[in-house]
Amino acid sequence: MSDEVKREVEHTLWTGDYYNEGTGRDDIFDTLKEECGVFGVFGHPEAASLSYYGLHALQHRGEESAGMCVSDGVNFNYHREMGLVKEVFDRDKLLSLQGNRSIGHVRYSTSGDSRIQNAQPLIFKYRDGDLAVATNGNIVNAPKIRRELEQNGSIFQTTSDTEVIAHLIARSSKDFVEAAKDALRQLVGGFAFLIMTNDKLIVASDPNGLRPISLGRLGDAYLFSSETCAFEVIGAQTVRDILPGEMLVLDKDGMREDRYTEAGRKALCAMEYIYFARPDSDLNGANLHSARKRMGQMLAQESFVNADVVTGVPDSSISAAIGYAEQTGIPYELGLIKNKYTGRTFIQPSQELREQGVKMKLSAVRRVVEGKRVVMIDDSIVRGTTSRRIVNLLREAGATEVHVRITSPPFKNPCFYGIDTPDRAELIASSKTIEEICKEINADSLVFLSNEGLIEAVGGENKGDYKGGLCMACFDNEYPTETHFDGEEKFGCSC
C-alpha cells in the first residue's frame, strides 16, 4: 500500500484497507454474523450475468468478499475480490466470464481470516483438469482431516475449510463423482457444496440439511441458491430444496439425482428462520415473512403486556413485530429506523465515539415513542450489549417503559455449523437468568419465545418431524452431529 493510500485510509471512518473489511466479533452490534451464500447455474449462455444477480440477492449473507467461476466446457474463467458484489464485478469483468455454467459465492469470515486467498470459489488444478469449489457452512472435523492430509504430503494454500474437500477429491483414484462421494462422506458438519469441473457440476447438502440450498429452473437451465429469493430476482421458478445427504450431478446428459449417504435427522438451522434468510425466501415450504409473523403472534400469546406501541428492531424483526401487533391489537409503529449507509465495520477509536456510532446505525423516532409504553421486538440477544444500547435509545427518546420481546429462545450455546458466534462464556444467556438479563439490558420486562412456540411458528413441510426439522442446538445444546475432534471445539464460519 502506498503512503498516499495509507494516509487516506487513516482518515476514513472505518478500519482496514477497504470499506467492507470484516471486524469479526468487534463490530458495534453484537448480532450474529451471517454464514455465506452460494449460487450456481448450469446450462444457460448468460451464466455469469445470472450469477451476478443471484449473488446480489444473497448479499446479506456475506459482505466481505465475492467471487464467481464460469466454465465454457473447456476453460475456467474466474474472478474474486474483497468487497460487495457490485464492487467486485463490473460490466467488463462479467463480459470476460464466458460460459454456460458457473458457481458463485459471497462470504463472511471469522476474525483473522479476512484475506483474498480465502475468497471463494476456490480454484485448483488436479489430475483431471480444473476444479472449483464453493460452500456455505462449516466442516467441524476439518482440522483433523487437514492434519492427516498434510502428514501425507498435501500442501494447503488457504486457511479455509473448503480446501479440505478439494484435496480429498484430488487424492482419490476414483472418477470425479465417486471421489466426491467418498470425500463428502468423510466430512462432519453443516454444509452446502457446489463443486464444478469443466464438464460436471455437483451439488450436495450435509446429511442433516443444516445449511439451506434449493433447486430452481429458468427455461432449460438449472439453478442453485442458498435462498429462493435469488430465483425470484432473475425470474426463475423454485423447484424444491436439496435433501439432506443428497447429491445432484449435472453434465451434458442433464441432471441426475443421487445420494452420497443416508439422511440423518432433518435439522435446518433455526436461525435461518429467525434472523438470517430474507423475508421473501421460502425454506421447507414455509415463507420467512409469514413464519416470522407467526413468531410474533406466538410471542404475543406467551407474553402479552399492556403497551401503547409495538416496534421492531430493523430489519429482521419487523415481520415479527407486525405479527405481535396484529395479535395484541397494539398499534405497530416505526419506532426505530436503521441507517443502511454507514457500513458494517464502522469502528470509532474511543468508547465515547463508539457508543455514538450506534446512533449512526440506528435511531429512535422521538415523535413515535415519546411518552409511550413501548414493546420492542428483536430476534435474539447475544452478549446483551446491543439490546441495552437499543433500549437506552428508546428511553432517551422519551419512552416511559420498554418491554423487550425476543422471537427466539435464549441463545446459550455456540454454533459449530457456520454461524460466527462468540465463545459460550460470552453468551449472556449461558450465565445469567432472564431476570438478570432484563436488568442488564435496562428493560422493564423481558420474555423469550419458547422452544415449542418457535417450532409451532415455523411450521412448513417438516412440522411433524423431530423439533420441527430444526437444529436448535444454540438454544438447547442438542447438536445433531459430533462436535469434538481430537479434543478441539471448532465453531464459527470458516468456509
Side-chain angles (χ1 to χ4, degrees), residues 299-307 324 327-330 405:
L299 194 54
Q301 294 173 26
E302 294 181 354
S303 60
F304 173 78
V305 62
N306 269 321
Y324 191 99
Q327 184 70 29
T328 60
I330 302 170
R405 297 294 181 266

mmCIF file with all atom_site columns, all heavy atoms in Angstrom, residues 299-307 324 327-330 405:
data_model
loop_
_atom_site.group_PDB
_atom_site.id
_atom_site.type_symbol
_atom_site.label_atom_id
_atom_site.label_alt_id
_atom_site.label_comp_id
_atom_site.label_asym_id
_atom_site.label_entity_id
_atom_site.label_seq_id
_atom_site.pdbx_PDB_ins_code
_atom_site.Cartn_x
_atom_site.Cartn_y
_atom_site.Cartn_z
_atom_site.occupancy
_atom_site.B_iso_or_equiv
_atom_site.pdbx_formal_charge
_atom_site.auth_seq_id
_atom_site.auth_comp_id
_atom_site.auth_asym_id
_atom_site.auth_atom_id
_atom_site.pdbx_PDB_model_num
ATOM 1   N N   . LEU A 1 299 ? -45.414 -15.162 20.292 1.00 0.00 ? 299 LEU A N   1
ATOM 2   C CA  . LEU A 1 299 ? -44.790 -14.416 21.388 1.00 0.00 ? 299 LEU A CA  1
ATOM 3   C C   . LEU A 1 299 ? -45.833 -13.583 22.125 1.00 0.00 ? 299 LEU A C   1
ATOM 4   O O   . LEU A 1 299 ? -45.806 -13.470 23.360 1.00 0.00 ? 299 LEU A O   1
ATOM 5   C CB  . LEU A 1 299 ? -43.684 -13.538 20.820 1.00 0.00 ? 299 LEU A CB  1
ATOM 6   C CG  . LEU A 1 299 ? -42.672 -12.895 21.767 1.00 0.00 ? 299 LEU A CG  1
ATOM 7   C CD1 . LEU A 1 299 ? -42.003 -13.926 22.665 1.00 0.00 ? 299 LEU A CD1 1
ATOM 8   C CD2 . LEU A 1 299 ? -41.614 -12.143 20.964 1.00 0.00 ? 299 LEU A CD2 1
ATOM 9   N N   . ALA A 1 300 ? -46.776 -13.012 21.383 1.00 0.00 ? 300 ALA A N   1
ATOM 10  C CA  . ALA A 1 300 ? -47.848 -12.226 22.000 1.00 0.00 ? 300 ALA A CA  1
ATOM 11  C C   . ALA A 1 300 ? -48.733 -13.105 22.877 1.00 0.00 ? 300 ALA A C   1
ATOM 12  O O   . ALA A 1 300 ? -49.157 -12.693 23.968 1.00 0.00 ? 300 ALA A O   1
ATOM 13  C CB  . ALA A 1 300 ? -48.681 -11.549 20.917 1.00 0.00 ? 300 ALA A CB  1
ATOM 14  N N   . GLN A 1 301 ? -48.998 -14.319 22.407 1.00 0.00 ? 301 GLN A N   1
ATOM 15  C CA  . GLN A 1 301 ? -49.808 -15.243 23.200 1.00 0.00 ? 301 GLN A CA  1
ATOM 16  C C   . GLN A 1 301 ? -49.078 -15.667 24.471 1.00 0.00 ? 301 GLN A C   1
ATOM 17  O O   . GLN A 1 301 ? -49.700 -15.872 25.517 1.00 0.00 ? 301 GLN A O   1
ATOM 18  C CB  . GLN A 1 301 ? -50.156 -16.471 22.365 1.00 0.00 ? 301 GLN A CB  1
ATOM 19  C CG  . GLN A 1 301 ? -51.056 -16.187 21.175 1.00 0.00 ? 301 GLN A CG  1
ATOM 20  C CD  . GLN A 1 301 ? -51.240 -17.399 20.280 1.00 0.00 ? 301 GLN A CD  1
ATOM 21  O OE1 . GLN A 1 301 ? -51.130 -18.539 20.719 1.00 0.00 ? 301 GLN A OE1 1
ATOM 22  N NE2 . GLN A 1 301 ? -51.493 -17.152 19.008 1.00 0.00 ? 301 GLN A NE2 1
ATOM 23  N N   . GLU A 1 302 ? -47.767 -15.798 24.381 1.00 0.00 ? 302 GLU A N   1
ATOM 24  C CA  . GLU A 1 302 ? -46.994 -16.255 25.535 1.00 0.00 ? 302 GLU A CA  1
ATOM 25  C C   . GLU A 1 302 ? -46.617 -15.122 26.484 1.00 0.00 ? 302 GLU A C   1
ATOM 26  O O   . GLU A 1 302 ? -46.309 -15.386 27.652 1.00 0.00 ? 302 GLU A O   1
ATOM 27  C CB  . GLU A 1 302 ? -45.702 -16.945 25.052 1.00 0.00 ? 302 GLU A CB  1
ATOM 28  C CG  . GLU A 1 302 ? -45.934 -18.235 24.281 1.00 0.00 ? 302 GLU A CG  1
ATOM 29  C CD  . GLU A 1 302 ? -44.631 -18.904 23.836 1.00 0.00 ? 302 GLU A CD  1
ATOM 30  O OE1 . GLU A 1 302 ? -43.546 -18.302 24.038 1.00 0.00 ? 302 GLU A OE1 1
ATOM 31  O OE2 . GLU A 1 302 ? -44.702 -20.030 23.309 1.00 0.00 ? 302 GLU A OE2 1
ATOM 32  N N   . SER A 1 303 ? -46.646 -13.868 25.998 1.00 0.00 ? 303 SER A N   1
ATOM 33  C CA  . SER A 1 303 ? -46.071 -12.795 26.829 1.00 0.00 ? 303 SER A CA  1
ATOM 34  C C   . SER A 1 303 ? -46.738 -11.448 26.584 1.00 0.00 ? 303 SER A C   1
ATOM 35  O O   . SER A 1 303 ? -46.055 -10.441 26.358 1.00 0.00 ? 303 SER A O   1
ATOM 36  C CB  . SER A 1 303 ? -44.571 -12.675 26.545 1.00 0.00 ? 303 SER A CB  1
ATOM 37  O OG  . SER A 1 303 ? -44.357 -12.358 25.170 1.00 0.00 ? 303 SER A OG  1
ATOM 38  N N   . PHE A 1 304 ? -48.061 -11.408 26.624 1.00 0.00 ? 304 PHE A N   1
ATOM 39  C CA  . PHE A 1 304 ? -48.758 -10.138 26.417 1.00 0.00 ? 304 PHE A CA  1
ATOM 40  C C   . PHE A 1 304 ? -48.387 -9.136  27.510 1.00 0.00 ? 304 PHE A C   1
ATOM 41  O O   . PHE A 1 304 ? -48.198 -9.480  28.672 1.00 0.00 ? 304 PHE A O   1
ATOM 42  C CB  . PHE A 1 304 ? -50.264 -10.353 26.417 1.00 0.00 ? 304 PHE A CB  1
ATOM 43  C CG  . PHE A 1 304 ? -51.049 -9.064  26.380 1.00 0.00 ? 304 PHE A CG  1
ATOM 44  C CD1 . PHE A 1 304 ? -51.203 -8.375  25.191 1.00 0.00 ? 304 PHE A CD1 1
ATOM 45  C CD2 . PHE A 1 304 ? -51.584 -8.526  27.547 1.00 0.00 ? 304 PHE A CD2 1
ATOM 46  C CE1 . PHE A 1 304 ? -51.911 -7.174  25.146 1.00 0.00 ? 304 PHE A CE1 1
ATOM 47  C CE2 . PHE A 1 304 ? -52.287 -7.326  27.509 1.00 0.00 ? 304 PHE A CE2 1
ATOM 48  C CZ  . PHE A 1 304 ? -52.455 -6.661  26.302 1.00 0.00 ? 304 PHE A CZ  1
ATOM 49  N N   . VAL A 1 305 ? -48.278 -7.874  27.133 1.00 0.00 ? 305 VAL A N   1
ATOM 50  C CA  . VAL A 1 305 ? -48.062 -6.807  28.097 1.00 0.00 ? 305 VAL A CA  1
ATOM 51  C C   . VAL A 1 305 ? -48.823 -5.580  27.603 1.00 0.00 ? 305 VAL A C   1
ATOM 52  O O   . VAL A 1 305 ? -48.881 -5.310  26.404 1.00 0.00 ? 305 VAL A O   1
ATOM 53  C CB  . VAL A 1 305 ? -46.556 -6.486  28.260 1.00 0.00 ? 305 VAL A CB  1
ATOM 54  C CG1 . VAL A 1 305 ? -45.948 -6.004  26.947 1.00 0.00 ? 305 VAL A CG1 1
ATOM 55  C CG2 . VAL A 1 305 ? -46.327 -5.468  29.372 1.00 0.00 ? 305 VAL A CG2 1
ATOM 56  N N   . ASN A 1 306 ? -49.431 -4.842  28.527 1.00 0.00 ? 306 ASN A N   1
ATOM 57  C CA  . ASN A 1 306 ? -50.121 -3.608  28.170 1.00 0.00 ? 306 ASN A CA  1
ATOM 58  C C   . ASN A 1 306 ? -49.105 -2.570  27.708 1.00 0.00 ? 306 ASN A C   1
ATOM 59  O O   . ASN A 1 306 ? -48.123 -2.293  28.408 1.00 0.00 ? 306 ASN A O   1
ATOM 60  C CB  . ASN A 1 306 ? -50.886 -3.055  29.377 1.00 0.00 ? 306 ASN A CB  1
ATOM 61  C CG  . ASN A 1 306 ? -52.313 -3.583  29.410 1.00 0.00 ? 306 ASN A CG  1
ATOM 62  O OD1 . ASN A 1 306 ? -52.949 -3.713  28.374 1.00 0.00 ? 306 ASN A OD1 1
ATOM 63  N ND2 . ASN A 1 306 ? -52.793 -3.899  30.618 1.00 0.00 ? 306 ASN A ND2 1
ATOM 64  N N   . ALA A 1 307 ? -49.324 -2.011  26.537 1.00 0.00 ? 307 ALA A N   1
ATOM 65  C CA  . ALA A 1 307 ? -48.397 -1.021  25.996 1.00 0.00 ? 307 ALA A CA  1
ATOM 66  C C   . ALA A 1 307 ? -49.133 -0.142  24.999 1.00 0.00 ? 307 ALA A C   1
ATOM 67  O O   . ALA A 1 307 ? -50.293 -0.400  24.652 1.00 0.00 ? 307 ALA A O   1
ATOM 68  C CB  . ALA A 1 307 ? -47.210 -1.707  25.333 1.00 0.00 ? 307 ALA A CB  1
ATOM 69  N N   . TYR A 1 324 ? -46.881 -9.514  16.248 1.00 0.00 ? 324 TYR A N   1
ATOM 70  C CA  . TYR A 1 324 ? -47.186 -9.225  17.649 1.00 0.00 ? 324 TYR A CA  1
ATOM 71  C C   . TYR A 1 324 ? -48.287 -8.174  17.749 1.00 0.00 ? 324 TYR A C   1
ATOM 72  O O   . TYR A 1 324 ? -49.229 -8.303  18.541 1.00 0.00 ? 324 TYR A O   1
ATOM 73  C CB  . TYR A 1 324 ? -45.927 -8.749  18.363 1.00 0.00 ? 324 TYR A CB  1
ATOM 74  C CG  . TYR A 1 324 ? -46.047 -8.670  19.870 1.00 0.00 ? 324 TYR A CG  1
ATOM 75  C CD1 . TYR A 1 324 ? -45.555 -9.684  20.677 1.00 0.00 ? 324 TYR A CD1 1
ATOM 76  C CD2 . TYR A 1 324 ? -46.637 -7.569  20.483 1.00 0.00 ? 324 TYR A CD2 1
ATOM 77  C CE1 . TYR A 1 324 ? -45.651 -9.614  22.067 1.00 0.00 ? 324 TYR A CE1 1
ATOM 78  C CE2 . TYR A 1 324 ? -46.752 -7.483  21.868 1.00 0.00 ? 324 TYR A CE2 1
ATOM 79  C CZ  . TYR A 1 324 ? -46.252 -8.509  22.655 1.00 0.00 ? 324 TYR A CZ  1
ATOM 80  O OH  . TYR A 1 324 ? -46.369 -8.433  24.026 1.00 0.00 ? 324 TYR A OH  1
ATOM 81  N N   . GLN A 1 327 ? -51.707 -9.560  16.749 1.00 0.00 ? 327 GLN A N   1
ATOM 82  C CA  . GLN A 1 327 ? -52.256 -10.475 17.752 1.00 0.00 ? 327 GLN A CA  1
ATOM 83  C C   . GLN A 1 327 ? -52.791 -9.727  18.962 1.00 0.00 ? 327 GLN A C   1
ATOM 84  O O   . GLN A 1 327 ? -53.809 -10.106 19.547 1.00 0.00 ? 327 GLN A O   1
ATOM 85  C CB  . GLN A 1 327 ? -51.177 -11.470 18.188 1.00 0.00 ? 327 GLN A CB  1
ATOM 86  C CG  . GLN A 1 327 ? -51.644 -12.539 19.159 1.00 0.00 ? 327 GLN A CG  1
ATOM 87  C CD  . GLN A 1 327 ? -52.569 -13.546 18.504 1.00 0.00 ? 327 GLN A CD  1
ATOM 88  O OE1 . GLN A 1 327 ? -52.479 -13.800 17.304 1.00 0.00 ? 327 GLN A OE1 1
ATOM 89  N NE2 . GLN A 1 327 ? -53.482 -14.114 19.283 1.00 0.00 ? 327 GLN A NE2 1
ATOM 90  N N   . THR A 1 328 ? -52.112 -8.647  19.359 1.00 0.00 ? 328 THR A N   1
ATOM 91  C CA  . THR A 1 328 ? -52.496 -7.926  20.578 1.00 0.00 ? 328 THR A CA  1
ATOM 92  C C   . THR A 1 328 ? -53.446 -6.765  20.328 1.00 0.00 ? 328 THR A C   1
ATOM 93  O O   . THR A 1 328 ? -54.117 -6.306  21.257 1.00 0.00 ? 328 THR A O   1
ATOM 94  C CB  . THR A 1 328 ? -51.234 -7.364  21.271 1.00 0.00 ? 328 THR A CB  1
ATOM 95  O OG1 . THR A 1 328 ? -50.564 -6.468  20.368 1.00 0.00 ? 328 THR A OG1 1
ATOM 96  C CG2 . THR A 1 328 ? -50.290 -8.495  21.672 1.00 0.00 ? 328 THR A CG2 1
ATOM 97  N N   . GLY A 1 329 ? -53.460 -6.248  19.108 1.00 0.00 ? 329 GLY A N   1
ATOM 98  C CA  . GLY A 1 329 ? -54.239 -5.048  18.834 1.00 0.00 ? 329 GLY A CA  1
ATOM 99  C C   . GLY A 1 329 ? -53.517 -3.766  19.184 1.00 0.00 ? 329 GLY A C   1
ATOM 100 O O   . GLY A 1 329 ? -54.063 -2.662  19.007 1.00 0.00 ? 329 GLY A O   1
ATOM 101 N N   . ILE A 1 330 ? -52.297 -3.874  19.685 1.00 0.00 ? 330 ILE A N   1
ATOM 102 C CA  . ILE A 1 330 ? -51.483 -2.681  19.964 1.00 0.00 ? 330 ILE A CA  1
ATOM 103 C C   . ILE A 1 330 ? -50.918 -2.167  18.644 1.00 0.00 ? 330 ILE A C   1
ATOM 104 O O   . ILE A 1 330 ? -50.405 -2.955  17.845 1.00 0.00 ? 330 ILE A O   1
ATOM 105 C CB  . ILE A 1 330 ? -50.327 -3.019  20.937 1.00 0.00 ? 330 ILE A CB  1
ATOM 106 C CG1 . ILE A 1 330 ? -50.882 -3.578  22.247 1.00 0.00 ? 330 ILE A CG1 1
ATOM 107 C CG2 . ILE A 1 330 ? -49.470 -1.784  21.208 1.00 0.00 ? 330 ILE A CG2 1
ATOM 108 C CD1 . ILE A 1 330 ? -49.810 -4.150  23.163 1.00 0.00 ? 330 ILE A CD1 1
ATOM 109 N N   . ARG A 1 405 ? -39.249 -8.150  23.834 1.00 0.00 ? 405 ARG A N   1
ATOM 110 C CA  . ARG A 1 405 ? -39.749 -9.482  23.477 1.00 0.00 ? 405 ARG A CA  1
ATOM 111 C C   . ARG A 1 405 ? -38.853 -10.041 22.371 1.00 0.00 ? 405 ARG A C   1
ATOM 112 O O   . ARG A 1 405 ? -38.632 -9.391  21.349 1.00 0.00 ? 405 ARG A O   1
ATOM 113 C CB  . ARG A 1 405 ? -41.206 -9.410  23.005 1.00 0.00 ? 405 ARG A CB  1
ATOM 114 C CG  . ARG A 1 405 ? -42.184 -8.916  24.079 1.00 0.00 ? 405 ARG A CG  1
ATOM 115 C CD  . ARG A 1 405 ? -42.273 -9.905  25.232 1.00 0.00 ? 405 ARG A CD  1
ATOM 116 N NE  . ARG A 1 405 ? -43.201 -9.514  26.278 1.00 0.00 ? 405 ARG A NE  1
ATOM 117 C CZ  . ARG A 1 405 ? -42.870 -8.839  27.381 1.00 0.00 ? 405 ARG A CZ  1
ATOM 118 N NH1 . ARG A 1 405 ? -41.598 -8.459  27.553 1.00 0.00 ? 405 ARG A NH1 1
ATOM 119 N NH2 . ARG A 1 405 ? -43.768 -8.552  28.296 1.00 0.00 ? 405 ARG A NH2 1
#
